[in-house]
Amino acid sequence: MTLVRVISAEVPSSNLTQPATNDNFDRHNKPRFRRALILSALNDKYPQLVSFAKPPSSASSTLVDECDLVDLYSGVHDDGMIRFLVEAWPKWKEMGPPWDKDNCHPEWRDEGCVDDDNIPPLIPCHSAFRRDGIERPSTNVMGAMGYYSTDSITPIVGSLVKELQEDAAIICSAVDFAYLESNVVYAVPTHPGHHASRDCFGGYCYLNNAALCARLLQRCLETGTKIISNGKIVRNYWIDEEQGQKKSCRVAIIDIDYHCGNGTASIFYQDPNVFFTSIHCDPNVDYPWNAGHEDQVGSGEGEGTTFHIPLSPGATWEGQYKSALEKAMSAIVDFDAAALVVSLGLDTYEGDSVAVNGGGFQLKGSDYYAMGLCMGKYMAGKHIPCVFVQEGGYKMDAVGDAAADVVCGFALGAAECWP
């Protein structure tokens, strides 16, 4: 009985001994290795419940090649930021050789932090971060990096654009499967996205996959059409917005990453038709610091459709997290959404390395199956598209099992066939 469709650029592999290429740029974030661990755990633990698929191809090209990032993400991001991400690496290459590594952030100066052409990542140490509305992006790629980026841990590398195209193709494929089958779909892109706002990126996130997923689900449900036809992405999916027609189909997003999905929250902060709820560590304790507070509830027409549930460090499943999750899911049911998106972060695990000193939650082991089952039971009988989108998770000896347990626990709960 297949209950979960898993969409990724890769397939499960037993070769999990070495992180993939380009995973040596950060001591915490290993997105390619995380993806491999998750796919392997799904295949090993729940082979009877999951099936795996890659984005489709046409006779002449792959769906990845069809992904115009500017065209596709313009429904959730500023065109200038998307173009910067697409064009930054070629501009960075044009500035050298030699590249003055003294002008790169210290963490990225090591010999291991270069691509196949011996080019260091683009993350200059003297970029001035944007602070007020009179600024505009510099024509110098190092200056523009500071304008669009919010931190110094989210570098531009040579493989980035291709990986972002793969991620976009995964989201498009996941949306179509969920729309056509009204089933649980798990999109496993390379990069997380929930910290990417409309016009800035950071926190290991470049483009907001969960936000794109929500917008595309709205598009499918309102028009009755798929995103992909004959292996190609249908164009002009945002044309009604350009003509001033607002989307009316309701979609809910729940973010269960340890860190608030501040980017997703900001994108939909004034949108009455997208309900966003996030369970995360108190932003006075941990990243993203300045967003995710309980009194940030949306504004304008969207007032009341943002529901932040910050928890204190040390939160356990039975102690605080379960009741917070039940509160969030009850609010989603009351919103009466036609589709659900789950931003799945696993950095709530006890001992996850990204928590700052004094932070961290203490979920572990079977808590993640219980988490998925809890969410799934609220969706039982609703038969609406449900898409999980992978976000963070940095405890590599636990992230695979935790992800598999949440997603498959959810599917069993929604199908009303839990043990």
Side-chain angles (χ1 to χ4, degrees):
M1 174 176 60
T2 299
L3 295 180
V4 180
R5 178 90 65 167
V6 182
I7 314 294
S8 180
E10 304 293 335
V11 295
S13 171
S14 58
N15 183 20
L16 301 174
T17 56
Q18 294 292 329
T21 302
N22 283 342
D23 263 11
N24 59 346
F25 291 135
D26 186 275
R27 66 180 182 272
H28 299 298
N29 190 34
K30 311 291 180 185
R32 302 157 193 84
F33 191 37
R34 177 174 57 226
R35 176 182 60 198
L37 291 167
I38 289 171
L39 296 177
S40 178
L42 285 162
N43 191 51
D44 292 345
K45 294 192 74 171
Y46 299 99
Q48 74 281 14
L49 297 184
V50 302
S51 64
F52 297 88
K54 291 184 176 183
S57 303
S58 68
S60 58
S61 64
T62 68
L63 190 65
V64 173
D65 298 326
E66 291 289 316
C67 285
D68 181 327
L69 294 177
V70 177
D71 192 26
L72 186 59
Y73 280 92
S74 64
V76 294
H77 286 301
D78 171 70
D79 284 3
M81 187 193 83
I82 310 169
R83 291 186 191 282
F84 168 77
L85 290 170
V86 171
E87 298 170 359
W89 188 253
K91 290 182 177 180
W92 179 235
K93 288 180 70 174
E94 288 174 5
M95 297 188 74
W99 288 268
D100 183 358
K101 290 189 178 181
D102 287 337
N103 284 328
C104 293
H105 192 275
E107 282 208 27
W108 314 101
R109 294 178 190 168
D110 296 339
E111 290 303 318
C113 291
V114 294
D115 76 348
D116 292 340
D117 295 324
N118 203 36
I119 304 172
L122 170 58
I123 190 112
C125 62
H126 45 41
S127 282
F129 292 146
R130 181 181 9 160
R131 292 301 301 270
D132 60 54
I134 66 168
E135 297 181 36
R136 64 181 181 221
S138 171
T139 57
N140 186 299
V141 69
M142 293 191 293
M145 183 72 177
Y147 183 85
Y148 288 115
S149 178
T150 62
D151 57 40
S152 58
I153 62 169
T154 312
I156 305 294
V157 297
S159 63
L160 180 64
V161 171
K162 191 68 172 181
E163 289 175 338
L164 292 178
Q165 288 179 304
E166 289 178 347
D167 291 351
I170 289 165
I171 297 301
C172 291
S173 301
V175 167
D176 271 3
F177 276 119
Y179 165 65
L180 293 171
E181 300 175 2
S182 289
N183 211 338
V184 179
V185 180
Y186 184 14
V188 190
T190 299
H191 297 285
H194 68 153
H195 295 311
S197 300
R198 179 156 187 85
D199 62 354
C200 58
F201 65 92
Y204 303 144
C205 302
Y206 301 92
L207 296 172
N208 198 310
N209 299 314
L212 177 65
C213 185
R215 280 289 185 242
L216 292 180
L217 282 167
Q218 285 181 313
R219 181 70 178 170
C220 287
L221 292 166
E222 289 169 358
T223 64
T225 58
K226 300 188 301 177
I227 304 300
I228 303 166
S229 178
N230 298 320
K232 295 180 178 291
I233 295 175
V234 176
R235 301 296 180 184
N236 300 321
Y237 18 71
W238 309 126
I239 193 168
D240 56 347
E241 287 193 343
E242 293 171 2
Q243 295 171 349
Q245 300 175 22
K246 293 185 178 180
K247 299 201 173 298
S248 58
C249 181
R250 290 185 156 202
V251 175
I253 306 172
I254 180 170
D255 192 314
I256 53 174
D257 193 278
Y258 169 74
H259 306 96
C260 173
N262 58 308
T264 315
S266 70
I267 288 170
F268 298 114
Y269 204 66
Q270 299 183 56
D271 193 326
N273 295 311
V274 177
F275 181 83
F276 175 77
T277 181
S278 177
I279 306 170
H280 50 263
C281 186
D282 183 348
N284 287 314
V285 174
D286 213 327
Y287 188 94
W289 309 111
N290 306 311
H293 298 280
E294 195 170 6
D295 61 352
Q296 295 172 328
V297 297
S299 65
E301 293 183 354
E303 185 173 355
T305 58
T306 298
F307 184 27
H308 291 307
I309 309 178
L311 301 180
S312 300
T316 63
W317 170 248
E318 291 292 346
Q320 299 88 17
Y321 203 97
K322 180 181 178 182
S323 61
L325 184 60
E326 290 172 340
K327 190 183 301 184
M329 292 305 300
S330 293
I332 287 172
V333 171
D334 291 343
F335 187 69
D336 194 26
L340 175 68
V341 178
V342 182
S343 275
L344 177 60
L346 290 315
D347 39 7
T348 51
Y349 209 98
E350 182 178 41
D352 191 285
S353 63
V354 296
V356 300
N357 187 33
F361 288 170
Q362 295 182 9
L363 277 64
K364 54 189 175 183
S366 61
D367 293 342
Y368 287 90
Y369 179 81
M371 180 191 297
L373 193 62
C374 176
M375 289 192 293
K377 287 181 178 180
Y378 280 90
M379 293 294 105
K382 295 193 175 298
H383 306 293
I384 64 173
C386 297
V387 181
F388 281 74
V389 179
Q390 183 58 42
E391 302 289 358
Y394 310 93
K395 187 172 172 53
M396 292 303 171
D397 59 349
V399 69
D401 285 349
D405 288 344
V406 174
V407 175
C408 291
F410 178 97
L412 289 168
E416 300 182 89
C417 56
W418 59 88

